[in-house]
Amino acid sequence: MSIEAMPPESGLRTDVPVLEVEDLSVTFVRRGEQPTRAVDEVSFSVAAGETIGLVGESGCGKSVTSLAVMGLLPRRGVQVGGSVRLGGTELLGASDRTLRRLRGSEMAMVFQDPLSSLNPTVPIGTQVTEVLAEHRGLGKKEATAEAAELLDRVGIPDPTRRLKEYPHQLSGGMRQRALIAMALACSPRLLIADEPTTALDVTIQAQILELLRELVVDTGTALVMITHDLGVVAGLCDRVHVMYAGKVIETADRHDLFARPRQPYTGGLLASVPRLDAGRGVPLTPIRGSARDAIPWAEGCAFAPRCDNAQDDCLTEVAGSTVPLEYDGPGRELRCRHPLTYPPSPTGATSSGSTASGAGR
Amino acid sequence: MTAAGEPLLRVEGLRVHFPIRRGVFFDRTVGHVRAVDGVDLAIDRGTTYGLVGESGCGKSTLGRAVLRLVEPTGGQVLFDGTDVASLKGEALRTMRRRMQMVFQDPLGSLDPRQDVESLLSEPLRAHGLGGGTAGIAGRVRELMDAVGLPSAALRRYPHEFSGGQRQRIGIARAISLEPDLLIADEPVSALDVSVQAQVVNLLEELQRRLGLTYLVIAHDLAVVRHISDVVGVMYLGSLVEQAPSGVLYDEPLHPYTRALMSAVPVPDPVVEERRERILLAGDLPSPANPPSGCRFHTRCPWRQETRCDDEVPVLRELAPGHLVSCHWAEEIRDGVLAPKSPEEVAAIQGVTVRATGAEAIESDALVQGLDEPIERR
Ligand SMILES: Nc1ncnc2c1ncn2[C@@H]1O[C@H](COP(=O)(O)OP(=O)(O)OP(=O)(O)O)[C@@H](O)[C@H]1O
Ligand SMILES: Nc1ncnc2c1ncn2[C@@H]1O[C@H](COP(=O)(O)OP(=O)(O)O)[C@@H](O)[C@H]1O
Ligand code: SF4
Ligand code: SF4
Ligand SMILES: [Mg+2]
Ligand SMILES: [Mg+2]
């Protein structure tokens, strides 16, 4: 069933995290327009067998971060800064040839819309065998057998027949599985999944999440899960990075994050989502305004116009600098001058119903 | 006027079948998509009915058939005691005014060339309401206030607003004619999490203030649970279960409802780790070619041969207000029957799925995104 682990590519080391992203910045520069900084000094790392989550509302820079890591951003009109290392090898500034070789063999990506990332005019089978032929040098017969096994592995029924079918003949869930199968073709060490289940029904989402979970456990793939769904994060990710307006604003292990969100934005997100296990009539406490109301980070804290805890020193004018991302206890980082606080807890506190001062619950 | 005890909306045996046509020179009808296939439901005044189910199960079509935006193939829609199909002319216009719709995609449903003022005053003018130009201007400001937008926004165009603000405009437009029933089709699914809550709260507040009745269609069970008094679960064109919101979530009886609930992620790692998940085998079967007997039998972990394959279960009342269409609901509730794993279900279905149902229809643009039942090895 399982795919044998490939020997690590020469030059990639195993004693360092699979992926290290350091101070990654991406700026889009269009002629006649203000440059927009979509990603602003983002840092994170993922180890083998680990799942990290990047969460935030639409437009906060999640997809641009993942495209930058994969080297899939357009060359023109985009400035990328910082460092992205895969197994110790620097990817920023690497040649197209190197990147193409690494994509598929060492790192792979699954997108939100499986239809647009599959070629509609080529049967699924051919698309999978092409990857196998290119990156693993398999012959046609071997590749076909391997492709059928991959489809079977991701739960596509009757794989030999499905290999001959075109993407539009598969349901949304099966297309996403096919895409995951292609991503797995070379047992990548890193898999980036950008909202892989957002377009799917919940029962199919549950199947795909289970598949990803198994994958991480069975093969030790490092998984970067990008999503806006806090429920998905709660069930899947070991560590979570919350993003707002291009910056990471809070980092924590998932249990800490959900039990004690410190950033008012994180707390606000959690108070906004209705929970299936909460009673009817439990009021929702939305964050006011929308992500459009963000101010530039250079002015202090981008979240300030929507923040209930905001004070004068959240602005550069008063405090003299942008609010920095700082150590906030073991395993945690926080970008906030007036975070949510919690009364010292008796043992065994859980997230459900925990009160946060200033969270307005 | 009818008695206050009578539900505002009553739907009886509603069916909407879309013909599937093929052929180059002349159209041939090669089958039907049974988008809605015999739905009964009633919504009391001032309450919210939530309709949930997977993509393609017929939720939107049901909403559109109630408004007569699509012509039902069969069944009745009774609004305030009157059969909607019998209405003509002025009476039809009045009835239309009393039922309004809020759409999923606020940008697509608002004319991009009109500013907010004209978007909001147009329906008032068209129905001769609002009392002249000055009256309309006043009413438009009231509406803006009601949905929490500044009057300064009146001169702006839809594209200048964020998604949440656009949805507020859509809601303002829908309530401008003082309707009794609001049908909201995925009103928050295009919105960011933090903004969803604002729109949900707004809908709740307007209901309290204006005594509105809602039919809320959504695929997000947590949102539906939060907002609804009664929830109906649809599968392949039919209701499989209906119950007061709290009851449905505390004691789901239909296997499909159980699976659906267990699949919804809860934003709490402690809960997530302890939850029992009922994974389903395979995808939703095509509504052009629904399985025989119980439509859920191709994916059901509790399926019993051969009754489930042959006999269509009827919606029956197991507890007051709790309706379920499953032959084995009592046995499942009492734990007499044990579920099979998805692998077992798939293995069994691998042999039998193709034999059931009518003749297979090739995948079709109309039923895109749907697939034949899975036959996993
Ligand atoms: N005008 C039409 N002609 C033919 N088939 C249609 C038409 N409108 C809808 N259908 C089909 O009817 C079925 C139900 O569609 P409907 O839009 O009601 O689903 P839904 O439950 O609202 O799904 P979603 O959650 O994706 O919005 C689907 O199979 C769809 O393809
Ligand atoms: N090709 C592009 N040109 C200019 N701006 C872009 C481009 N792609 C993304 N952006 C901007 O970058 C920001 C982050 O986008 P994205 O990473 O896609 O957000 P999300 O977190 O929703 O995935 C947004 O403001 C978006 O408008
Ligand atoms: S730094 Fe200030 S404005 Fe920003 S989140 Fe913290 S309290 Fe709010
Ligand atoms: S009738 Fe049979 S197949 Fe249908 S839901 Fe009940 S147990 Fe499952
Ligand atoms: Mg994105
Ligand atoms: Mg719909």
Side-chain angles (χ1 to χ4, degrees):
Chain A
M1 260 316 239
S2 94
I3 308 162
E4 326 82 85
M6 292 282 295
E9 278 278 330
S10 54
L12 296 185
R13 293 162 47 199
T14 44
D15 56 341
V16 293
V18 174
L19 177 72
E20 292 165 288
V21 174
E22 224 176 286
D23 292 331
L24 178 70
S25 294
V26 180
T27 310
F28 291 100
V29 269
R30 277 218 199 90
R31 223 182 312 178
E33 272 178 42
Q34 283 285 327
T36 51
R37 176 156 285 204
V39 176
D40 201 357
E41 298 182 341
V42 165
S43 303
F44 59 88
S45 70
V46 208
E50 192 186 31
T51 302
I52 67 147
L54 295 184
V55 269
E57 293 176 283
S58 69
C60 72
K62 307 180 295 290
S63 298
V64 172
T65 302
S66 57
L67 293 175
V69 170
M70 295 292 291
L72 289 172
L73 286 170
R75 295 254 150 168
R76 279 156 174 262
V78 184
Q79 289 165 1
V80 184
S83 161
V84 174
R85 294 185 298 277
L86 183 73
T89 305
E90 180 62 52
L91 299 187
L92 291 190
S95 71
D96 280 345
R97 231 184 106 237
T98 312
L99 285 171
R100 218 172 307 123
R101 183 176 56 78
L102 290 175
R103 278 197 299 269
S105 64
E106 294 289 331
M107 58 183 184
M109 185 158 170
V110 179
F111 298 89
Q112 171 170 350
D113 177 9
L115 199 53
S116 67
S117 21
L118 290 164
N119 184 341
T121 61
V122 179
I124 294 285
T126 314
Q127 302 195 41
V128 180
T129 45
E130 265 171 10
V131 179
L132 291 165
E134 183 178 336
H135 291 287
R136 283 173 54 186
L138 298 186
K140 189 159 186 289
K141 241 175 130 182
E142 287 166 293
T144 309
E146 175 82 29
E149 183 160 341
L150 280 167
L151 292 197
D152 183 57
R153 179 142 188 271
V154 296
I156 293 183
D158 198 358
T160 332
R161 178 166 68 90
R162 293 289 179 188
L163 284 175
K164 300 190 194 88
E165 295 191 340
Y166 292 86
H168 73 97
Q169 291 174 292
L170 303 184
S171 67
M174 283 211 213
R175 275 181 222 134
Q176 198 57 285
R177 285 165 199 267
L179 214 61
I180 294 177
M182 282 168 68
L184 300 187
C186 299
S187 328
R189 294 211 272 155
L190 171 70
L191 180 65
I192 301 183
D194 187 357
E195 308 260 8
T197 58
T198 304
L200 305 176
D201 281 315
V202 279
T203 60
I204 311 298
Q205 164 169 293
Q207 297 168 351
I208 301 283
L209 293 179
E210 192 59 35
L211 176 65
L212 290 174
R213 234 176 247 128
E214 280 171 22
L215 175 76
V216 170
V217 173
D218 294 352
T219 65
T221 300
L223 176 62
V224 177
M225 181 75 185
I226 294 178
T227 177
H228 68 275
D229 187 333
L230 292 161
V232 169
V233 173
L236 191 69
C237 302
D238 302 315
R239 289 173 64 66
V240 188
H241 303 269
V242 185
M243 289 180 69
Y244 191 77
K247 276 192 186 293
V248 172
I249 52 141
E250 180 162 20
T251 295
D253 287 352
R254 93 184 135 144
H255 281 282
D256 293 343
L257 188 84
F258 283 86
R260 292 148 182 277
R262 293 268 289 158
Q263 234 284 351
Y265 174 67
T266 316
L269 280 182
L270 285 170
S272 296
V273 281
R275 285 173 59 149
L276 190 64
D277 57 347
R280 160 135 161 82
V282 175
L284 304 179
T285 316
I287 306 173
R288 75 189 119 86
S290 72
R292 281 190 160 201
D293 301 324
I295 57 171
W297 280 106
E299 290 175 20
C301 172
F303 185 58
R306 305 174 70 191
C307 180
D308 284 339
N309 283 19
Q311 292 180 26
D312 290 349
D313 63 348
C314 298
L315 298 178
T316 309
E317 248 179 32
V318 176
S321 70
T322 294
V323 179
L325 185 68
E326 289 171 326
Y327 175 82
D328 185 42
R332 296 192 74 143
E333 282 185 315
L334 177 68
R335 189 188 294 282
C336 181
R337 291 221 164 92
H338 306 282
L340 305 176
T341 54
Y342 299 85
S345 73
T347 49
T350 70
S351 65
S352 17
S354 69
T355 48
S357 72
R361 270 213 151 171
Chain B
M1 282 284 119
T2 39
E6 171 75 8
L8 180 66
L9 183 76
R10 187 184 280 282
V11 170
E12 287 172 357
L14 192 70
R15 280 183 293 131
V16 184
H17 294 183
F18 295 106
I20 304 171
R21 293 189 212 285
R22 275 281 156 60
V24 184
F25 298 110
F26 43 91
D27 277 353
R28 243 174 352 120
T29 300
V30 294
H32 285 93
V33 177
R34 302 194 207 161
V36 177
D37 207 16
V39 169
D40 299 313
L41 59 85
I43 311 179
D44 288 330
R45 279 159 218 277
T47 66
T48 301
Y49 188 103
L51 200 58
V52 293
E54 286 173 285
S55 181
C57 71
K59 307 180 294 294
S60 301
T61 306
L62 183 114
R64 293 166 60 80
V66 167
L67 290 170
R68 286 201 107 64
L69 296 174
V70 295
E71 206 51 39
T73 313
Q76 276 195 322
V77 176
L78 300 166
F79 181 72
D80 209 358
T82 315
D83 183 354
V84 174
S86 70
L87 295 176
K88 292 203 176 57
E90 190 52 34
L92 182 63
R93 262 170 64 87
T94 309
M95 189 280 305
R96 281 242 160 96
R97 179 181 70 67
R98 295 180 59 197
M99 293 194 234
Q100 292 292 321
M101 185 132 181
V102 175
F103 297 91
Q104 166 171 2
D105 169 18
L107 195 55
S109 58
L110 298 172
D111 179 355
R113 289 157 306 178
Q114 294 188 35
D115 66 12
V116 175
E117 172 132 45
S118 102
L119 280 168
L120 293 184
S121 47
E122 181 195 77
L124 292 169
R125 240 176 233 119
H127 281 87
L129 296 172
T133 312
I136 289 180
R139 176 87 182 113
V140 164
R141 273 166 184 79
E142 260 173 53
L143 287 168
M144 292 293 277
D145 200 42
V147 299
L149 288 174
S151 317
L154 283 170
R155 294 266 153 268
R156 286 162 52 186
Y157 291 82
H159 72 265
E160 297 176 63
F161 293 93
S162 68
Q165 290 170 327
R166 274 181 220 134
Q167 196 55 291
R168 285 170 196 271
I169 298 168
I171 292 171
R173 205 169 131 95
I175 61 169
S176 65
L177 299 172
E178 302 180 13
D180 298 309
L181 177 69
L182 211 61
I183 299 184
D185 190 355
E186 305 278 5
V188 298
S189 49
L191 306 177
D192 263 331
V193 186
S194 71
V195 180
Q196 269 188 11
Q198 298 168 2
V199 173
V200 166
N201 285 357
L202 173 64
L203 286 171
E204 288 182 327
E205 183 204 322
L206 290 173
Q207 178 167 52
R208 268 195 306 276
R209 266 187 23 213
L210 307 175
L212 292 167
T213 306
Y214 289 153
L215 172 58
V216 175
I217 298 169
H219 68 275
D220 185 332
L221 276 91
V223 167
V224 167
R225 147 151 230 187
H226 178 84
I227 198 169
S228 311
D229 299 294
V230 176
V231 177
V233 182
M234 271 183 94
Y235 189 74
L236 285 183
S238 312
L239 275 181
V240 296
E241 186 163 5
Q242 177 187 308
S245 172
V247 174
L248 189 80
Y249 290 87
D250 291 340
E251 196 183 28
L253 292 177
H254 195 281
Y256 177 63
T257 317
R258 291 182 160 214
L260 209 55
M261 303 273 194
S262 80
V264 178
V266 172
D268 184 339
V270 181
V271 175
E272 278 293 300
E273 276 164 15
R274 294 201 192 128
R275 284 174 88 201
E276 188 198 344
R277 276 210 182 69
I278 304 171
L279 279 186
L280 291 180
D283 286 324
L284 204 63
S286 160
N289 185 19
S292 63
C294 172
R295 292 188 168 186
F296 187 54
H297 85 251
T298 54
R299 298 167 83 193
C300 180
W302 282 272
R303 163 181 171 258
Q304 301 294 311
E305 287 181 346
T306 55
R307 190 172 176 203
C308 293
D309 312 1
D310 305 334
E311 195 184 319
V312 180
V314 292
L315 201 62
R316 55 205 175 91
E317 190 160 14
L318 250 71
H322 196 162
L323 308 171
V324 58
S325 79
C326 167
H327 296 308
W328 305 99
E330 291 89 344
E331 289 81 353
I332 293 168
R333 178 193 59 200
D334 301 338
V336 178
L337 293 178
K340 293 192 176 64
S341 72
E343 287 74 25
E344 285 174 90
V345 175
I348 298 167
Q349 290 303 328
V351 243
T352 56
V353 158
R354 302 206 131 247
T356 63
E359 67 162 7
I361 292 174
E362 305 149 41
S363 47
D364 187 286
L366 286 180
V367 287
Q368 223 188 45
L370 301 169
D371 203 61
E372 288 164 3
I374 204 165
E375 323 106 57
R376 198 157 23 163
R377 295 278 142 80

